[in-house]
Amino acid sequence: MLGALRRNAASRGSSASALRKSLHAIRPGVSASGVSSDAGKEILLLQPRGITHVRNFSPLVLPGCSVGLTKTRNVISSIQSETIMQKSCRAFSSGDGDLVDAVVPFMGESISDGTLATFLKKPGDRVAADEPIAQIETDKVTIDVTSPQDGVLQEYVAKEGDTVEPGNRIAVISKSAEGVAPAASAEKKSEKAASKPSPPTETVKEDKPKAKVETSPSVEKPRALSPPPPKRTATEPILPPKERERRVPMTRLRKRVATRLKDSQNTFAMLTTFNEVDMTNLMKLRSDYKDAFVEKHGVKLGFMSGFVKAAVSALQHQPIVNAVIDGDDIIYRDYIDISIAVGTPKGLVVPVVRDADKMNFAEIEKTINSLAKKATDGTISIDEMAGGSFTISNGGVYGSLLSTPIINPPQSAILGMHSIVSRPMVVGGNVVPRPMMYIALTYDHRLIDGREAVFFLRRIKDVVEDPRRLLLDV
């Protein structure tokens, strides 16, 4: 009995020592101080460097031990979860925390991706927090990608023309200039190497073959006769060479505009009616009060506010023009949101003047100026262009004399303004020169009959020619 106990104790000691040797063999830096030869205790490895190797021993049960390694697995799982949590908290930084990523921002609920149009900064430039470094072009607006923190733009990880989605990395920003210094020095070295003259040995080698060529006898080769140019038939057109043509991809905004306008032609039964407006009284009103208007409201009095007020009055008199077809139903809108077509270098955008029926002349002019400036600068948002129940397009600013505008879906009509031209008109039996403007109304003939369309355009003519009608509501 006593001999059996000695052999059991010896076997426990040998197993513990064998385990220590195995741990040292796998990871020399791992200390085995946590391994106990006591049968009543469990095997624990307290050093974090040995955690990955403890798994190899977790199913091992020493001879004579009946206790498992549950606590070891708990320690490992807790440390692993802490590591994962630390990594997830640094999703946009590098290992040392000096680098941060500039990512594509949220572009709107109806926009899933965009095209990286242009870079506003170069690698090595210093940027401030929230400063735009790139622009993304979408179907509707241009969105800026801003720097998340102050620092130096280290590199771009995307190229111009790439399709990007919200959350994609665009650039890497270094909080300090250390990450950019090596790249800058390398560029300087390459420039210096390129500026150095070539060694003289190369010139000597080049001179030798020239001398051989001079001494070699010249042999004249018979000139090959070039074939005569093909004769063109009288009916074959002469096309310009391909070298004089350029092919460039369409921008997203241009493709979107083209699609919507073509869909409008395919959907609506469009018809256009015309009229002409005598601008004498509206121009006199503007001339008489323009200085007082600017002094009080801080904005110039233009013609657009007069036409917006006239359109509001016409829509109130003919509410069917403010309605729209939706399937088998007609939706009557009890609000008046006027869309103003604005031409920008990148394409046509249509910002909306909300609740135009509740605005005065000054509020309309301020809103139009603000929206037009944002559209030209490319900073207009999607919300400022969404909706709208009626559109006004002023082609007169470009010198258009007459046109047939296309309906902006899902609206049912659009008013076209044109240039003011002095023409002879009969007034009181006499022919006198008058500043005249042609106006056009394109409408959906499925919903709006010719009678309502003519009355609508006539109402605009009456209000513009005599703005006092707005005060008297007649």
Side-chain angles (χ1 to χ4, degrees), residues 129-185:
D130 299 329
E131 182 180 1
I133 60 174
Q135 287 185 335
I136 298 176
E137 191 176 74
T138 67
D139 298 340
K140 299 179 180 180
V141 295
T142 300
I143 298 174
D144 292 334
V145 179
T146 58
S147 174
Q149 291 186 3
D150 297 340
V152 177
L153 178 60
Q154 187 180 43
E155 63 174 345
Y156 286 108
V157 296
K159 299 179 181 178
E160 291 185 357
D162 289 353
T163 300
V164 294
E165 298 178 355
N168 290 160
R169 296 172 64 230
I170 296 296
V172 179
I173 308 296
S174 176
K175 298 179 184 178
S176 61
E178 297 177 357
V180 187
S185 61

Tab-separated table of all heavy atoms in Angstrom, residues 129-185:
chain	number	residue	atom	x	y	z
A	129	ALA	N	-9.507	70.345	-39.759
A	129	ALA	CA	-10.677	69.513	-39.504
A	129	ALA	C	-11.884	70.081	-40.249
A	129	ALA	O	-12.085	71.296	-40.290
A	129	ALA	CB	-10.958	69.437	-38.006
A	130	ASP	N	-12.651	69.184	-40.872
A	130	ASP	CA	-13.856	69.528	-41.643
A	130	ASP	C	-13.546	70.324	-42.901
A	130	ASP	O	-14.449	70.919	-43.498
A	130	ASP	CB	-14.859	70.313	-40.781
A	130	ASP	CG	-15.342	69.509	-39.580
A	130	ASP	OD1	-15.406	68.265	-39.699
A	130	ASP	OD2	-15.640	70.118	-38.538
A	131	GLU	N	-12.290	70.318	-43.332
A	131	GLU	CA	-11.942	70.990	-44.586
A	131	GLU	C	-12.133	70.025	-45.755
A	131	GLU	O	-11.674	68.888	-45.709
A	131	GLU	CB	-10.498	71.479	-44.546
A	131	GLU	CG	-10.075	72.224	-45.809
A	131	GLU	CD	-8.632	72.692	-45.749
A	131	GLU	OE1	-7.970	72.414	-44.726
A	131	GLU	OE2	-8.171	73.323	-46.718
A	132	PRO	N	-12.811	70.435	-46.832
A	132	PRO	CA	-13.017	69.524	-47.971
A	132	PRO	C	-11.693	69.154	-48.638
A	132	PRO	O	-10.846	70.013	-48.894
A	132	PRO	CB	-13.914	70.337	-48.912
A	132	PRO	CG	-14.546	71.387	-48.055
A	132	PRO	CD	-13.529	71.716	-47.003
A	133	ILE	N	-11.533	67.851	-48.902
A	133	ILE	CA	-10.334	67.378	-49.589
A	133	ILE	C	-10.668	66.710	-50.917
A	133	ILE	O	-9.782	66.523	-51.753
A	133	ILE	CB	-9.551	66.386	-48.699
A	133	ILE	CG1	-10.417	65.163	-48.362
A	133	ILE	CG2	-9.063	67.071	-47.434
A	133	ILE	CD1	-9.665	64.088	-47.601
A	134	ALA	N	-11.935	66.359	-51.137
A	134	ALA	CA	-12.345	65.725	-52.395
A	134	ALA	C	-13.836	65.958	-52.584
A	134	ALA	O	-14.555	66.315	-51.640
A	134	ALA	CB	-12.028	64.223	-52.393
A	135	GLN	N	-14.289	65.767	-53.822
A	135	GLN	CA	-15.701	65.937	-54.154
A	135	GLN	C	-16.228	64.682	-54.825
A	135	GLN	O	-15.549	64.085	-55.670
A	135	GLN	CB	-15.912	67.142	-55.079
A	135	GLN	CG	-15.743	68.485	-54.398
A	135	GLN	CD	-16.073	69.645	-55.323
A	135	GLN	OE1	-15.994	69.522	-56.533
A	135	GLN	NE2	-16.433	70.776	-54.735
A	136	ILE	N	-17.438	64.285	-54.424
A	136	ILE	CA	-18.105	63.110	-54.974
A	136	ILE	C	-19.343	63.583	-55.725
A	136	ILE	O	-20.160	64.325	-55.182
A	136	ILE	CB	-18.492	62.114	-53.871
A	136	ILE	CG1	-17.231	61.608	-53.166
A	136	ILE	CG2	-19.293	60.954	-54.426
A	136	ILE	CD1	-17.517	60.702	-51.998
A	137	GLU	N	-19.455	63.146	-56.949
A	137	GLU	CA	-20.583	63.539	-57.789
A	137	GLU	C	-21.631	62.446	-57.775
A	137	GLU	O	-21.328	61.287	-58.041
A	137	GLU	CB	-20.098	63.800	-59.221
A	137	GLU	CG	-21.136	64.462	-60.097
A	137	GLU	CD	-20.570	64.777	-61.467
A	137	GLU	OE1	-20.410	63.819	-62.247
A	137	GLU	OE2	-20.276	65.944	-61.762
A	138	THR	N	-22.852	62.816	-57.449
A	138	THR	CA	-23.964	61.875	-57.429
A	138	THR	C	-24.953	62.239	-58.530
A	138	THR	O	-24.706	63.141	-59.333
A	138	THR	CB	-24.664	61.878	-56.061
A	138	THR	OG1	-25.315	63.153	-55.865
A	138	THR	CG2	-23.663	61.660	-54.934
A	139	ASP	N	-26.067	61.524	-58.545
A	139	ASP	CA	-27.081	61.804	-59.555
A	139	ASP	C	-27.734	63.162	-59.370
A	139	ASP	O	-28.321	63.695	-60.315
A	139	ASP	CB	-28.179	60.728	-59.510
A	139	ASP	CG	-27.630	59.351	-59.823
A	139	ASP	OD1	-26.543	59.285	-60.423
A	139	ASP	OD2	-28.279	58.353	-59.479
A	140	LYS	N	-27.652	63.726	-58.163
A	140	LYS	CA	-28.381	64.952	-57.876
A	140	LYS	C	-27.479	66.091	-57.439
A	140	LYS	O	-27.652	67.220	-57.884
A	140	LYS	CB	-29.434	64.688	-56.794
A	140	LYS	CG	-30.480	63.645	-57.202
A	140	LYS	CD	-31.486	63.415	-56.087
A	140	LYS	CE	-32.524	62.375	-56.501
A	140	LYS	NZ	-33.525	62.113	-55.438
A	141	VAL	N	-26.530	65.824	-56.537
A	141	VAL	CA	-25.715	66.894	-55.975
A	141	VAL	C	-24.259	66.455	-55.935
A	141	VAL	O	-23.922	65.288	-56.152
A	141	VAL	CB	-26.185	67.277	-54.547
A	141	VAL	CG1	-27.568	67.872	-54.578
A	141	VAL	CG2	-26.145	66.071	-53.633
A	142	THR	N	-23.401	67.421	-55.640
A	142	THR	CA	-21.980	67.158	-55.414
A	142	THR	C	-21.708	67.252	-53.920
A	142	THR	O	-22.059	68.249	-53.276
A	142	THR	CB	-21.113	68.168	-56.172
A	142	THR	OG1	-21.392	68.066	-57.576
A	142	THR	CG2	-19.634	67.895	-55.938
A	143	ILE	N	-21.091	66.215	-53.363
A	143	ILE	CA	-20.873	66.110	-51.921
A	143	ILE	C	-19.377	66.191	-51.636
A	143	ILE	O	-18.554	65.604	-52.359
A	143	ILE	CB	-21.465	64.794	-51.382
A	143	ILE	CG1	-22.979	64.772	-51.618
A	143	ILE	CG2	-21.157	64.613	-49.903
A	143	ILE	CD1	-23.636	63.477	-51.248
A	144	ASP	N	-19.033	66.917	-50.575
A	144	ASP	CA	-17.631	67.075	-50.175
A	144	ASP	C	-17.228	65.975	-49.209
A	144	ASP	O	-18.000	65.585	-48.333
A	144	ASP	CB	-17.408	68.432	-49.511
A	144	ASP	CG	-17.549	69.585	-50.496
A	144	ASP	OD1	-17.326	69.362	-51.694
A	144	ASP	OD2	-17.886	70.707	-50.056
A	145	VAL	N	-15.997	65.495	-49.373
A	145	VAL	CA	-15.363	64.608	-48.397
A	145	VAL	C	-14.423	65.468	-47.564
A	145	VAL	O	-13.515	66.098	-48.115
A	145	VAL	CB	-14.595	63.463	-49.077
A	145	VAL	CG1	-13.921	62.586	-48.035
A	145	VAL	CG2	-15.528	62.638	-49.938
A	146	THR	N	-14.638	65.517	-46.273
A	146	THR	CA	-13.876	66.404	-45.404
A	146	THR	C	-12.861	65.619	-44.580
A	146	THR	O	-12.989	64.414	-44.381
A	146	THR	CB	-14.820	67.166	-44.452
A	146	THR	OG1	-15.565	66.220	-43.672
A	146	THR	CG2	-15.786	68.031	-45.255
A	147	SER	N	-11.863	66.351	-44.108
A	147	SER	CA	-10.842	65.760	-43.248
A	147	SER	C	-11.390	65.589	-41.839
A	147	SER	O	-11.974	66.526	-41.286
A	147	SER	CB	-9.598	66.641	-43.224
A	147	SER	OG	-8.650	66.160	-42.283
A	148	PRO	N	-11.219	64.412	-41.215
A	148	PRO	CA	-11.760	64.223	-39.868
A	148	PRO	C	-11.009	64.986	-38.788
A	148	PRO	O	-11.584	65.310	-37.763
A	148	PRO	CB	-11.654	62.707	-39.667
A	148	PRO	CG	-10.537	62.280	-40.558
A	148	PRO	CD	-10.581	63.199	-41.745
A	149	GLN	N	-9.718	65.272	-39.018
A	149	GLN	CA	-8.913	65.957	-37.997
A	149	GLN	C	-7.900	66.852	-38.683
A	149	GLN	O	-7.677	66.766	-39.893
A	149	GLN	CB	-8.193	64.944	-37.094
A	149	GLN	CG	-9.116	64.143	-36.178
A	149	GLN	CD	-8.320	63.267	-35.219
A	149	GLN	OE1	-7.094	63.302	-35.209
A	149	GLN	NE2	-9.007	62.485	-34.416
A	150	ASP	N	-7.269	67.703	-37.887
A	150	ASP	CA	-6.150	68.512	-38.378
A	150	ASP	C	-4.956	67.599	-38.643
A	150	ASP	O	-4.707	66.653	-37.897
A	150	ASP	CB	-5.761	69.578	-37.357
A	150	ASP	CG	-6.891	70.569	-37.107
A	150	ASP	OD1	-7.776	70.652	-37.973
A	150	ASP	OD2	-6.882	71.230	-36.057
A	151	GLY	N	-4.225	67.892	-39.690
A	151	GLY	CA	-3.048	67.087	-39.989
A	151	GLY	C	-2.563	67.338	-41.395
A	151	GLY	O	-2.812	68.387	-42.000
A	152	VAL	N	-1.861	66.339	-41.924
A	152	VAL	CA	-1.272	66.406	-43.262
A	152	VAL	C	-1.834	65.268	-44.090
A	152	VAL	O	-1.904	64.121	-43.628
A	152	VAL	CB	0.268	66.325	-43.189
A	152	VAL	CG1	0.873	66.323	-44.585
A	152	VAL	CG2	0.823	67.486	-42.383
A	153	LEU	N	-2.248	65.575	-45.295
A	153	LEU	CA	-2.777	64.560	-46.209
A	153	LEU	C	-1.623	63.676	-46.670
A	153	LEU	O	-0.735	64.126	-47.399
A	153	LEU	CB	-3.471	65.223	-47.397
A	153	LEU	CG	-4.033	64.300	-48.472
A	153	LEU	CD1	-5.075	63.359	-47.886
A	153	LEU	CD2	-4.631	65.096	-49.607
A	154	GLN	N	-1.636	62.418	-46.215
A	154	GLN	CA	-0.529	61.526	-46.543
A	154	GLN	C	-0.679	60.912	-47.923
A	154	GLN	O	0.239	60.952	-48.735
A	154	GLN	CB	-0.426	60.416	-45.491
A	154	GLN	CG	0.829	59.549	-45.674
A	154	GLN	CD	0.908	58.460	-44.627
A	154	GLN	OE1	-0.091	57.832	-44.322
A	154	GLN	NE2	2.086	58.230	-44.092
A	155	GLU	N	-1.879	60.352	-48.223
A	155	GLU	CA	-2.067	59.712	-49.521
A	155	GLU	C	-3.560	59.527	-49.784
A	155	GLU	O	-4.387	59.563	-48.862
A	155	GLU	CB	-1.374	58.344	-49.566
A	155	GLU	CG	-1.932	57.347	-48.567
A	155	GLU	CD	-1.336	55.964	-48.733
A	155	GLU	OE1	-0.723	55.730	-49.774
A	155	GLU	OE2	-1.509	55.132	-47.818
A	156	TYR	N	-3.871	59.337	-51.066
A	156	TYR	CA	-5.218	58.958	-51.473
A	156	TYR	C	-5.229	57.457	-51.737
A	156	TYR	O	-4.314	56.923	-52.371
A	156	TYR	CB	-5.637	59.708	-52.736
A	156	TYR	CG	-5.976	61.159	-52.513
A	156	TYR	CD1	-5.136	62.173	-52.964
A	156	TYR	CD2	-7.143	61.528	-51.863
A	156	TYR	CE1	-5.440	63.510	-52.769
A	156	TYR	CE2	-7.461	62.860	-51.663
A	156	TYR	CZ	-6.604	63.842	-52.115
A	156	TYR	OH	-6.921	65.161	-51.912
A	157	VAL	N	-6.265	56.784	-51.258
A	157	VAL	CA	-6.393	55.342	-51.464
A	157	VAL	C	-7.441	55.030	-52.525
A	157	VAL	O	-7.743	53.867	-52.769
A	157	VAL	CB	-6.757	54.636	-50.144
A	157	VAL	CG1	-5.636	54.794	-49.142
A	157	VAL	CG2	-8.055	55.183	-49.555
A	158	ALA	N	-8.008	56.062	-53.152
A	158	ALA	CA	-8.946	55.887	-54.265
A	158	ALA	C	-8.518	56.803	-55.397
A	158	ALA	O	-7.718	57.732	-55.202
A	158	ALA	CB	-10.381	56.191	-53.827
A	159	LYS	N	-9.023	56.534	-56.578
A	159	LYS	CA	-8.657	57.295	-57.760
A	159	LYS	C	-9.856	58.077	-58.272
A	159	LYS	O	-10.997	57.717	-58.016
A	159	LYS	CB	-8.139	56.361	-58.865
A	159	LYS	CG	-6.897	55.573	-58.479
A	159	LYS	CD	-6.479	54.659	-59.615
A	159	LYS	CE	-5.254	53.837	-59.243
A	159	LYS	NZ	-4.857	52.910	-60.333
A	160	GLU	N	-9.556	59.134	-59.014
A	160	GLU	CA	-10.627	59.900	-59.632
A	160	GLU	C	-11.364	59.031	-60.644
A	160	GLU	O	-10.745	58.335	-61.449
A	160	GLU	CB	-10.071	61.149	-60.312
A	160	GLU	CG	-9.552	62.193	-59.346
A	160	GLU	CD	-9.120	63.459	-60.058
A	160	GLU	OE1	-9.174	63.477	-61.303
A	160	GLU	OE2	-8.720	64.431	-59.392
A	161	GLY	N	-12.680	59.078	-60.592
A	161	GLY	CA	-13.499	58.256	-61.466
A	161	GLY	C	-13.983	56.974	-60.828
A	161	GLY	O	-14.834	56.288	-61.409
A	162	ASP	N	-13.471	56.635	-59.644
A	162	ASP	CA	-13.911	55.419	-58.961
A	162	ASP	C	-15.331	55.608	-58.405
A	162	ASP	O	-15.717	56.702	-58.003
A	162	ASP	CB	-12.967	55.061	-57.801
A	162	ASP	CG	-11.623	54.572	-58.291
A	162	ASP	OD1	-11.473	54.388	-59.515
A	162	ASP	OD2	-10.717	54.390	-57.450
A	163	THR	N	-16.076	54.525	-58.397
A	163	THR	CA	-17.404	54.519	-57.781
A	163	THR	C	-17.248	54.155	-56.310
A	163	THR	O	-16.695	53.113	-55.977
A	163	THR	CB	-18.325	53.516	-58.481
A	163	THR	OG1	-18.458	53.890	-59.864
A	163	THR	CG2	-19.707	53.523	-57.843
A	164	VAL	N	-17.723	55.020	-55.436
A	164	VAL	CA	-17.546	54.848	-53.993
A	164	VAL	C	-18.912	54.835	-53.321
A	164	VAL	O	-19.885	55.384	-53.841
A	164	VAL	CB	-16.656	55.960	-53.402
A	164	VAL	CG1	-15.239	55.865	-53.923
A	164	VAL	CG2	-17.232	57.340	-53.716
A	165	GLU	N	-18.944	54.222	-52.153
A	165	GLU	CA	-20.152	54.131	-51.348
A	165	GLU	C	-19.901	54.755	-49.981
A	165	GLU	O	-18.734	54.927	-49.584
A	165	GLU	CB	-20.574	52.665	-51.182
A	165	GLU	CG	-20.903	51.974	-52.495
A	165	GLU	CD	-21.263	50.518	-52.291
A	165	GLU	OE1	-21.163	50.048	-51.133
A	165	GLU	OE2	-21.635	49.848	-53.271
A	166	PRO	N	-20.956	55.103	-49.245
A	166	PRO	CA	-20.754	55.664	-47.907
A	166	PRO	C	-19.947	54.724	-47.019
A	166	PRO	O	-20.221	53.533	-46.941
A	166	PRO	CB	-22.188	55.832	-47.380
A	166	PRO	CG	-23.017	55.995	-48.608
A	166	PRO	CD	-22.377	55.122	-49.648
A	167	GLY	N	-18.914	55.266	-46.378
A	167	GLY	CA	-18.039	54.481	-45.521
A	167	GLY	C	-16.741	54.048	-46.180
A	167	GLY	O	-15.822	53.611	-45.485
A	168	ASN	N	-16.631	54.172	-47.517
A	168	ASN	CA	-15.387	53.794	-48.196
A	168	ASN	C	-14.272	54.769	-47.852
A	168	ASN	O	-14.499	55.971	-47.716
A	168	ASN	CB	-15.584	53.754	-49.702
A	168	ASN	CG	-16.450	52.596	-50.156
A	168	ASN	OD1	-16.994	52.604	-51.245
A	168	ASN	ND2	-16.612	51.573	-49.317
A	169	ARG	N	-13.047	54.257	-47.754
A	169	ARG	CA	-11.884	55.098	-47.478
A	169	ARG	C	-11.491	55.869	-48.732
A	169	ARG	O	-11.442	55.334	-49.823
A	169	ARG	CB	-10.712	54.249	-46.992
A	169	ARG	CG	-10.962	53.539	-45.674
A	169	ARG	CD	-9.835	52.563	-45.351
A	169	ARG	NE	-8.564	53.236	-45.161
A	169	ARG	CZ	-7.434	52.874	-45.776
A	169	ARG	NH1	-7.433	51.877	-46.633
A	169	ARG	NH2	-6.310	53.519	-45.533
A	170	ILE	N	-11.206	57.153	-48.535
A	170	ILE	CA	-10.784	58.004	-49.645
A	170	ILE	C	-9.319	58.402	-49.498
A	170	ILE	O	-8.560	58.363	-50.452
A	170	ILE	CB	-11.675	59.260	-49.736
A	170	ILE	CG1	-13.098	58.852	-50.061
A	170	ILE	CG2	-11.145	60.225	-50.790
A	170	ILE	CD1	-13.265	58.201	-51.413
A	171	ALA	N	-8.940	58.789	-48.280
A	171	ALA	CA	-7.587	59.288	-48.059
A	171	ALA	C	-7.150	58.958	-46.645
A	171	ALA	O	-7.960	58.595	-45.787
A	171	ALA	CB	-7.519	60.794	-48.301
A	172	VAL	N	-5.853	59.092	-46.415
A	172	VAL	CA	-5.243	58.876	-45.105
A	172	VAL	C	-4.658	60.201	-44.638
A	172	VAL	O	-3.884	60.838	-45.365
A	172	VAL	CB	-4.158	57.791	-45.147
A	172	VAL	CG1	-3.519	57.604	-43.777
A	172	VAL	CG2	-4.740	56.476	-45.636
A	173	ILE	N	-5.040	60.607	-43.437
A	173	ILE	CA	-4.574	61.861	-42.850
A	173	ILE	C	-3.616	61.540	-41.711
A	173	ILE	O	-3.926	60.712	-40.849
A	173	ILE	CB	-5.748	62.702	-42.323
A	173	ILE	CG1	-6.814	62.887	-43.417
A	173	ILE	CG2	-5.260	64.052	-41.824
A	173	ILE	CD1	-6.347	63.650	-44.617
A	174	SER	N	-2.458	62.162	-41.725
A	174	SER	CA	-1.482	62.011	-40.648
A	174	SER	C	-1.603	63.195	-39.704
A	174	SER	O	-1.573	64.356	-40.138
A	174	SER	CB	-0.065	61.933	-41.219
A	174	SER	OG	0.891	61.877	-40.176
A	175	LYS	N	-1.781	62.891	-38.417
A	175	LYS	CA	-1.885	63.965	-37.426
A	175	LYS	C	-0.609	64.775	-37.340
A	175	LYS	O	-0.621	65.954	-37.021
A	175	LYS	CB	-2.231	63.387	-36.058
A	175	LYS	CG	-3.570	62.660	-36.012
A	175	LYS	CD	-3.821	62.092	-34.631
A	175	LYS	CE	-5.111	61.281	-34.595
A	175	LYS	NZ	-5.355	60.674	-33.265
A	176	SER	N	0.523	64.138	-37.600
A	176	SER	CA	1.805	64.829	-37.652
A	176	SER	C	2.359	64.692	-39.062
A	176	SER	O	1.882	63.908	-39.865
A	176	SER	CB	2.791	64.244	-36.638
A	176	SER	OG	3.032	62.878	-36.922
A	177	ALA	N	3.400	65.452	-39.383
A	177	ALA	CA	3.981	65.426	-40.723
A	177	ALA	C	5.046	64.362	-40.880
A	177	ALA	O	5.725	64.318	-41.898
A	177	ALA	CB	4.579	66.801	-41.053
A	178	GLU	N	5.192	63.468	-39.883
A	178	GLU	CA	6.255	62.474	-39.958
A	178	GLU	C	5.998	61.459	-41.057
A	178	GLU	O	6.902	60.996	-41.728
A	178	GLU	CB	6.383	61.763	-38.608
A	178	GLU	CG	6.790	62.694	-37.477
A	178	GLU	CD	6.833	61.955	-36.146
A	178	GLU	OE1	6.496	60.756	-36.147
A	178	GLU	OE2	7.197	62.572	-35.140
A	179	GLY	N	4.735	61.080	-41.251
A	179	GLY	CA	4.431	60.057	-42.245
A	179	GLY	C	4.626	60.534	-43.657
A	179	GLY	O	4.762	59.747	-44.579
A	180	VAL	N	4.663	61.868	-43.872
A	180	VAL	CA	4.786	62.389	-45.218
A	180	VAL	C	6.224	62.741	-45.542
A	180	VAL	O	6.595	62.856	-46.697
A	180	VAL	CB	3.882	63.636	-45.369
A	180	VAL	CG1	3.840	64.119	-46.798
A	180	VAL	CG2	2.482	63.315	-44.881
A	181	ALA	N	7.065	62.916	-44.510
A	181	ALA	CA	8.439	63.336	-44.749
A	181	ALA	C	9.216	62.368	-45.615
A	181	ALA	O	9.899	62.779	-46.542
A	181	ALA	CB	9.146	63.557	-43.404
A	182	PRO	N	9.163	61.036	-45.387
A	182	PRO	CA	9.935	60.142	-46.240
A	182	PRO	C	9.515	60.229	-47.696
A	182	PRO	O	10.347	60.199	-48.594
A	182	PRO	CB	9.626	58.745	-45.646
A	182	PRO	CG	9.209	59.021	-44.244
A	182	PRO	CD	8.512	60.323	-44.288
A	183	ALA	N	8.227	60.341	-47.956
A	183	ALA	CA	7.763	60.403	-49.343
A	183	ALA	C	8.249	61.679	-50.013
A	183	ALA	O	8.644	61.683	-51.174
A	183	ALA	CB	6.242	60.331	-49.391
A	184	ALA	N	8.226	62.798	-49.265
A	184	ALA	CA	8.680	64.048	-49.841
A	184	ALA	C	10.164	64.000	-50.157
A	184	ALA	O	10.622	64.481	-51.197
A	184	ALA	CB	8.370	65.208	-48.890
A	185	SER	N	10.965	63.406	-49.236
A	185	SER	CA	12.401	63.309	-49.481
A	185	SER	C	12.703	62.419	-50.667
A	185	SER	O	13.613	62.678	-51.447
A	185	SER	CB	13.097	62.778	-48.223
A	185	SER	OG	12.603	61.483	-47.906
